[in-house]
Amino acid sequence: MIQFIIWVVLSILTTVRADDRHKIVYKSLQQATNECTQYNVQGGCLPRCVTLTTRDWNDTLGISSVYSRFFHPDPNDICSNNRTQRCLNSKITTIPQQNSCLRASESVQCYLDQYGQVNTTIPQFIRFTILQDAQLFYECAAILGYSHQLDTLLNDWEFKRQETRCVLRCFMIRSGLYSEPKGLNMARYYVLCGGYEDGFYQQAAECASRLRQEVPCEDKCTLAQRMATECIGVDYATSSIMQNQGDSANYVLASRASSVYMVNDQNADSDATYRVVNSGSTANIVDNGSSSTYQGGNSNMFFRTSSNRR
């Protein structure tokens, strides 16, 4: 039995190291806690720092349901989800929104009290920030030799060009969402998209199997792109570039000079550096950190998606 446990632990560690060959990040709750203590975050604000570090906390939306990946619920306890959600709802109604440290602390306590056994040592997948996603996209364009075509790629949000499909495939591989032999990494998409409804895994598996039959095996870029857009789809966002925050979201990826930026033209609580003031045929992109304004037409658009998940 001891040898089996050692084998399992070594397998997990080997998997994490192999996955980290690209840009993928794994952290445990203990690692996130150690990181926060280096910033001198203590006391009641420590849980907020930890969940921000694991990308599970938003001061407006609260705690993400995929924070549950750090816990092991009792398989016989069919009410753990409902109890946890009722606990979280009670905190929303009793704690002022501006008291973000207390709200985060009490939300974490709901999981500790209601959801299951916490595991502080096993690292879990950490999704990228929007700006990291944008940087990954630009890096992939550069790696594939398409930097000079950036405006064209950004305009090809329907993926009509092979170059655009190959950049998306590169992005998915480097962000750990896709691999050639295994296809879509559904466990990471689960974290990225904030969970799925019942039956989604089966639907995605059937979709991926169908596409492997339809798409010629040598066309790797088209296969990856169609798996993302058809098997994951707009409701869950094509990739981490197209993240959904809240009930309604509309995102675009814009370029200025040699840089690429994610901008969000609806959600004022986005952590994007740039925001769209007037979207349409022309976008005015305002730098939130200064008074600068940059104007561009449709050639500055790469992804554009609206989502109304419930």
Side-chain angles (χ1 to χ4, degrees), residues 93-252:
T93 58
T94 58
I95 303 175
Q97 185 170 358
Q98 62 269 25
N99 196 341
S100 56
C101 286
L102 181 59
R103 289 178 66 233
S105 178
E106 290 296 311
S107 296
V108 168
Q109 195 62 46
C110 284
Y111 274 91
L112 292 171
D113 292 342
Q114 308 296 339
Y115 192 78
Q117 182 67 39
V118 65
N119 190 315
T120 62
T121 58
I122 294 183
Q124 299 291 341
F125 176 66
I126 307 298
R127 67 173 179 84
F128 295 144
T129 66
I130 291 174
L131 294 181
Q132 286 172 324
D133 289 337
Q135 183 62 34
L136 266 179
F137 168 78
Y138 178 71
E139 287 177 358
C140 280
I143 288 170
L144 296 174
Y146 299 146
S147 294
H148 63 290
Q149 302 181 41
L150 197 56
D151 279 349
T152 301
L153 297 176
L154 292 172
N155 192 45
D156 185 24
W157 56 276
E158 291 184 331
F159 303 102
K160 293 181 179 180
R161 299 175 62 90
Q162 181 73 354
E163 296 95 327
T164 314
R165 295 193 288 270
C166 288
V167 170
L168 177 61
R169 174 179 174 271
C170 171
F171 172 90
M172 293 167 64
I173 291 174
R174 284 175 65 77
S175 57
L177 300 174
Y178 181 83
S179 68
E180 212 64 66
K182 296 182 180 179
L184 300 169
N185 190 310
M186 297 304 295
R188 291 179 185 146
Y189 266 113
Y190 179 87
V191 176
L192 177 71
C193 303
Y196 303 125
E197 286 87 0
D198 293 340
F200 184 79
Y201 279 100
Q202 182 62 32
Q203 295 172 17
E206 292 173 357
C207 173
S209 178
R210 171 178 60 81
L211 290 177
R212 288 190 183 277
Q213 297 296 319
E214 293 181 6
V215 179
C217 60
E218 66 273 11
D219 193 352
K220 297 179 179 180
C221 296
T222 298
L223 178 62
Q225 175 262 312
R226 289 189 62 185
M227 280 193 179
T229 55
E230 296 179 29
C231 301
I232 300 298
V234 170
D235 281 347
Y236 292 103
T238 301
S239 68
S240 52
I241 289 182
M242 299 162 61
Q243 290 183 43
N244 177 23
Q245 298 179 15
D247 291 334
S248 180
N250 194 1
Y251 298 99
V252 293

